[in-house]
Amino acid sequence: MAQAFPASPTTTPATRTLVVHSPIDGSRLGEVPLMGDAEVRAAVERARTAQRAWAQLPIETRAERVARVIDAFVERLDELVDAVVLETGKPRNDALAEWITVVDACHYFTRHAGRILADTSITLHHMKWRGSYVAYVPMGVIAVISPWNLPLAIPMGSVIEALIAGNAVVAKPSEVTPLTLLKAKELVDATGIPTDLFQVVTGDARTGAALIDAGVQKVVFTGGVSSGRRVGAACAERLIPCVLELGGKAPLIACDDCEIERTARSIVAGGFINSGQLCISVERVLATEAVHDRLVDRVVALTRELRQGDPRADDVDVGAIIFAKQMDIAEAHIEDAVARGALVATGGRRRPGPGMFFEPTVLTRCTPEMTVMREEIFGPVVPIMKVRDEEEAVRIANDSPLGLHAYVFSRDKTRARAVAERIEAGTVMINDVLVSYCAPEAPFGGIKNSGYGRVHSDDSLRAMCYARHVNYERFAMPLNSPLLFPYTTAKFRGMRAAIRATFKRTPLLGRLADLL
């Protein structure tokens, strides 16, 4: 069906702007500048200047100031939620989940930053006359390049970590959904945090490339695999670290002892929340023969009960597709699956009328060679495949170039953990879906083509810093130390005897004899 409005932001060459439309009804929401190299470099330099003073503040002071973001977000909660709903077409509950993720991360990191970033003492096992510790030093300017599916939660999580760690941030939102992050910046600026410390540059892929090339000290990128490869190569060329959180193809393994109702409801939530536009959405269900038929019946029934429509209403479960291209991808996957023998149990079509809506879809009789079972969908389509047992389920789950998230459902906790520990993924959840992303204490990221590095967790906050090793004198060694010039025969023999006594794997008396 031809779209009656632009499927993505349109560029106005004369004024170099991007016009943003709502996927709900195609209405014009606003426009943002299409920033070029000079504008991006100027933003990075302003951030660098602001960061120098910010980095000198004690961690506790920075944390206290960043914590004011919580108050600002609470005060203007509805305004932020409405911005997300209009720009993405997701239901208000989904938008509120983004808000909660940001505020909770801010709450956690501002409370625990002092502990996480405190100097870490190192006990040296041999050089007892020396001492060591690691200090976590701000890096400088962090670039955050974020996608369109979670325009608030994804960038703001990294913004908060970077600021608390003493850095400045220049964030580039997707050209599809730039307005949400600009609204978040407006709220952050109102807290008194220096305006230049957190900046937003808007534009397309060229703007993101300019940001990487503008002299930043680290890049946090979330997006597709092909784009991630280019970002990784650009960062490697400039010798700057990066975090790449790329695509996912999350399998859900339904063991033969799983609780049918819980598993079915989790599949529906994991597959259709945010219209399936999450890198951790349930992208393939591997159901053992013992439960397959009952599980399919329940999943189909629950899917048919979902209410899809204008997400500005509170009683809507599934909203619009954010990016029109995903509608084409969903249709291509369904067409391929049906041609190879799959059955459309429910859904499978674009909804007529205004807006970009695609019916929640369940495919059954799926097989591993179907593209819907192999390639990321990023839409409201859940393919289900019958497998003999857990062994086959694990084998098929791991037969993927992606490894971000996975799910296991079983009544037996020990059994579920055993299965989970065999799955190749950055995170495996047992008897639940999606919510692990909302835990700021837990690392989030993938393996294989799903990228590398982690966001969230204490380690992620530390990774926003350089780890500076400081080695100091506990007591002075004599000036005739065997480690100092001049070398002599006596020094060599003494060192040799000490080394043998230390490392020779013989009883203690035998090693002591080497010293005599």
Side-chain angles (χ1 to χ4, degrees), residues 197-250:
L197 199 65
F198 165 38
Q199 296 185 62
V200 177
V201 294
T202 54
D204 54 19
R206 292 166 294 182
T207 308
L211 180 56
I212 296 172
D213 194 44
V216 297
Q217 278 62 61
K218 181 174 182 174
V219 175
V220 180
F221 173 83
T222 305
V225 175
S226 59
S227 298
R229 291 183 191 278
R230 293 192 293 272
V231 170
C235 290
E237 184 178 348
R238 291 157 181 79
L239 292 179
I240 54 176
C242 63
V243 173
L244 301 178
E245 194 276 279
L246 309 178
K249 190 64 184 171

Side-chain angles (χ1 to χ4, degrees), residues 72-398:
F73 273 40
V74 170
E75 179 66 25
R76 297 172 69 176
L77 183 155
D78 290 332
E79 192 175 336
L80 263 179
V81 167
D82 289 345
V84 174
V85 170
L86 285 173
E87 194 168 36
T88 66
K90 66 180 61 177
R92 293 177 62 80
N93 271 32
D94 291 358
L96 186 60
E98 282 202 61
W99 182 95
I100 292 170
T101 300
V102 174
V103 172
D104 187 49
C106 192
H107 180 261
Y108 175 78
F109 285 116
T110 54
R111 284 171 59 93
H112 296 281
R115 168 185 60 80
I116 297 169
L117 298 180
D119 293 350
T120 302
S121 179
I122 300 174
T123 301
L124 302 178
H125 72 293
H126 278 151
M127 293 186 289
K128 297 302 183 182
W129 69 95
R130 306 293 300 177
S132 282
Y133 66 91
V134 173
Y136 296 98
V137 183
M139 302 180 86
V141 181
I142 309 297
V144 175
I145 302 176
S146 60
W148 42 262
N149 61 320
L150 295 175
L152 182 65
I154 288 178
M156 283 306 298
S158 293
V159 167
I160 286 166
E161 290 183 37
L163 291 177
I164 293 172
N167 302 295
V169 186
V170 179
K172 190 268 172 191
S174 166
E175 61 267 37
V176 179
T177 55
L179 302 179
T180 295
L181 191 57
L182 287 169
K183 174 61 67 175
K185 174 173 167 50
E186 176 188 327
L187 269 60
V188 172
D189 288 349
T191 67
I193 290 175
T195 301
D196 288 342
L197 199 65
F198 165 38
Q199 296 185 62
V200 177
V201 294
T202 54
D204 54 19
R206 292 166 294 182
T207 308
L211 180 56
I212 296 172
D213 194 44
V216 297
Q217 278 62 61
K218 181 174 182 174
V219 175
V220 180
F221 173 83
T222 305
V225 175
S226 59
S227 298
R229 291 183 191 278
R230 293 192 293 272
V231 170
C235 290
E237 184 178 348
R238 291 157 181 79
L239 292 179
I240 54 176
C242 63
V243 173
L244 301 178
E245 194 276 279
L246 309 178
K249 190 64 184 171
L252 184 148
I253 295 178
C255 299
D256 56 22
D257 67 339
C258 72
E259 183 183 340
I260 297 295
E261 186 68 15
R262 177 180 298 277
T263 307
R265 288 187 178 276
S266 296
I267 290 169
V268 172
F272 302 127
I273 283 178
N274 208 44
S275 291
Q277 299 165 109
L278 297 170
C279 54
I280 59 174
S281 292
V282 173
E283 288 250 344
R284 47 197 173 126
V285 175
L286 305 171
T288 55
E289 291 178 337
V291 297
H292 174 272
D293 292 350
R294 288 178 293 153
L295 189 60
V296 165
D297 289 345
R298 192 62 184 135
V299 167
V300 170
L302 291 170
T303 302
R304 288 173 176 166
E305 292 175 3
L306 293 174
R307 300 161 297 179
Q308 185 175 37
D310 191 323
R312 289 169 288 195
D314 290 335
D315 57 354
V316 167
D317 302 312
V318 181
I321 296 294
I322 303 170
F323 188 25
K325 180 182 178 182
Q326 299 307 126
M327 308 258 276
D328 299 333
I329 292 173
E331 287 180 330
H333 280 310
I334 293 169
E335 182 180 350
D336 174 82
V338 171
R340 295 173 185 267
L343 174 68
V344 179
T346 187
R349 300 172 299 174
R350 303 180 190 223
R351 284 188 53 179
M356 298 191 297
F357 294 85
F358 199 95
E359 296 175 339
T361 301
V362 178
L363 299 175
T364 60
R365 303 180 187 172
C366 292
T367 53
E369 71 276 4
M370 297 175 181
T371 60
V372 76
M373 292 290 288
R374 302 201 64 81
E375 299 177 10
E376 190 172 30
I377 305 166
F378 228 70
V381 180
V382 173
I384 303 177
M385 175 180 173
K386 181 188 292 188
V387 294
R388 291 188 304 275
D389 51 28
E390 293 165 16
E391 290 299 317
E392 184 180 21
V394 170
R395 179 180 59 79
I396 294 173
N398 290 339

Side-chain angles (χ1 to χ4, degrees), residues 416-445:
R417 286 190 180 186
V419 173
E421 289 170 5
R422 296 172 58 198
I423 298 177
E424 298 167 358
T427 295
V428 184
M429 293 191 68
I430 295 173
N431 292 336
D432 206 346
V433 294
L434 305 183
V435 295
S436 60
Y437 182 79
C438 303
E441 307 92 334
F444 180 83

